[in-house]
Amino acid sequence: MKKYLVIGNPIDHSLSPKLHNYWFKKNNIKAIYEKKQVKENDIGGIISDIRSGKIEGINVTVPFKKSVIPFLDKVEIPEKTQSVNTIYIEKNNITGSKKIVGRNTDTLGFKYSLEHIKYNVKGKKIFVLGAGGVTSSIIYALEEMEPSIIMLSNRTKEKAENLKKLFPKLELVKWGDIRNFDMIINTTSLGLKENDKLPINYDRIGSDKFFYDVIYNPKKTNFLLEAKKSGHQIENGKMMFVYQAQEAFRLFTIAPNARAGLVPSINKKVLQLLEND
Ligand code: ATR
């Protein structure tokens, strides 16, 4: 039985095992996908387990998306994202060689989630809150969609400044100030807890804006609830999560020397699976 893992800390909330185990079953693949809470110094050992064949592939979540990078043989990510969330083995049947490859499927997940609801970023004013693990992937994806401006605000200024070094076109905004925008994206962890509140004065935002939260559990953070009350369009991170997982599954199922893997279906059943928690 092939074994897959999602690693992170905390990891309890992860719905990746549910999704991947469902897809493995649907595609008649004998494999099991588990979650594992790890510490920074466990990472080397886990990568060795991939090398020795004990583990077939892993997904990586907060806070290890950057720290796994030095352990890999090949990193195929947009460099600016500095973020790997999917690790798998690339086998060459002819030479017998094995390479441990890291990819970033968050950028694609974010892009597909917007295509799914037909939201067009081109020419729009985007306001990003946060400068955490997933933020660089989102900015990278956004830049490809050609917005007119990307503003970014983070409580800790240094982290925002670090992102600006990677993405010089970013316009940094002081934490607590909100500028005029078409779409606002919460990439902070504020909202995971029930009483979490972002510093936004909803009375001064205008109308018909688009509020996107990367968080999908809870389904509606205060950020989205308040926005909805004021009549704005809202979207949580569920479809981004599902699409990043779909791409990870495809990478996990690439056969040696083959070009593509299996693209598992996203249907009502799959989406319902994620509702029951
Ligand atoms: P990491 O910082 O390890 O990448 P993350 O969960 O990916 O962790 O990111 C946390 C994000 O949420 C950061 O942007 C963080 O802001 P800081 O850089 O100032 O820490 C933000 N965040 C978390 N708690 C917050 C709070 N109480 N107020 C404002 N921002 C908060």
Side-chain angles (χ1 to χ4, degrees):
M1 179 87 88
K2 288 180 176 173
K3 188 172 164 181
Y4 295 82
L5 279 181
V6 55
I7 61 165
N9 193 357
I11 198 66
D12 253 2
H13 68 284
S14 175
L15 295 177
S16 292
K18 247 187 170 174
L19 201 51
H20 284 278
N21 283 323
Y22 176 82
W23 281 332
F24 280 135
K25 211 167 154 198
K26 273 277 157 205
N27 289 282
N28 297 316
I29 297 169
K30 286 203 169 51
I32 182 148
Y33 187 114
E34 292 170 348
K35 54 185 160 192
K36 188 168 175 153
Q37 181 163 320
V38 301
K39 294 189 212 77
E40 194 79 44
N41 53 13
D42 296 328
I43 293 173
I46 289 177
I47 304 297
S48 301
D49 285 347
I50 301 181
R51 214 174 282 285
S52 68
K54 273 193 223 158
I55 300 171
E56 209 69 22
I58 61 175
N59 283 124
V60 183
T61 185
V62 176
F64 304 119
K65 290 183 182 185
K66 187 176 178 187
S67 48
V68 294
I69 293 176
F71 296 95
L72 308 174
D73 300 328
K74 205 160 110 184
V75 183
E76 296 178 331
I77 58 171
E79 206 184 320
K80 288 173 168 196
T81 65
Q82 303 183 325
S83 175
V84 160
N85 76 327
T86 304
I87 298 174
Y88 63 101
I89 307 170
E90 196 179 80
K91 289 179 204 139
N92 185 314
N93 265 0
I94 299 159
T95 62
S97 74
K98 264 187 183 181
K99 276 207 172 96
I100 301 185
V101 186
R103 287 271 193 105
N104 175 330
T105 72
D106 287 328
T107 51
L108 204 73
F110 177 69
K111 185 174 156 219
Y112 285 178
S113 75
L114 292 180
E115 284 174 9
H116 179 75
I117 54 168
K118 301 190 169 57
Y119 187 82
N120 188 0
V121 164
K122 192 164 180 165
K124 300 265 172 53
K125 294 191 268 301
I126 314 292
F127 200 106
V128 178
L129 299 169
V134 77
T135 314
S136 56
S137 300
I138 287 187
I139 295 169
Y140 182 85
L142 282 169
E143 282 197 343
E144 290 207 319
M145 297 179 232
E146 301 175 14
S148 64
I149 185 173
I150 305 175
M151 296 163 277
L152 182 127
S153 182
N154 190 55
R155 178 183 60 176
T156 308
K157 203 172 144 206
E158 290 73 30
K159 283 214 234 159
E161 285 165 351
N162 287 339
L163 276 175
K164 186 164 167 79
K165 282 182 204 142
L166 293 164
F167 302 95
K169 282 192 274 180
L170 278 181
E171 189 145 316
L172 302 188
V173 175
K174 205 174 111 212
W175 184 247
D177 286 357
I178 303 287
R179 301 254 180 91
N180 185 27
F181 63 83
D182 299 303
M183 175 189 191
I184 187 167
I185 307 167
N186 177 35
T187 75
T188 77
S189 47
L190 272 179
L192 286 173
K193 293 193 224 99
E194 209 178 310
N195 294 323
D196 283 350
K197 279 222 156 72
L198 284 154
I200 296 173
N201 183 346
Y202 287 82
D203 296 334
R204 299 182 53 187
I205 277 187
S207 56
D208 291 330
K209 310 292 184 187
F210 178 32
F211 283 64
Y212 187 111
D213 202 324
V214 169
I215 298 172
Y216 59 89
N217 189 8
K219 267 191 260 178
K220 288 198 188 90
T221 55
N222 284 325
F223 172 72
L224 295 186
L225 280 171
E226 292 288 322
K228 191 153 198 241
K229 260 194 245 163
S230 307
H232 303 291
Q233 181 184 352
I234 62 167
E235 180 74 13
N236 71 13
K238 181 171 157 181
M239 291 316 294
M240 176 176 172
F241 170 72
V242 174
Y243 283 121
Q244 68 72 29
Q246 183 186 47
E247 175 64 3
F249 190 93
R250 187 186 72 76
L251 296 170
F252 288 153
T253 54
I254 292 179
N257 304 325
R259 265 163 217 262
L262 286 170
V263 179
S265 54
I266 294 173
N267 51 31
K268 261 195 193 151
K269 186 90 196 285
V270 168
L271 299 181
Q272 255 165 18
L273 213 62
L274 306 177
E275 295 295 323
N276 302 332
D277 273 76

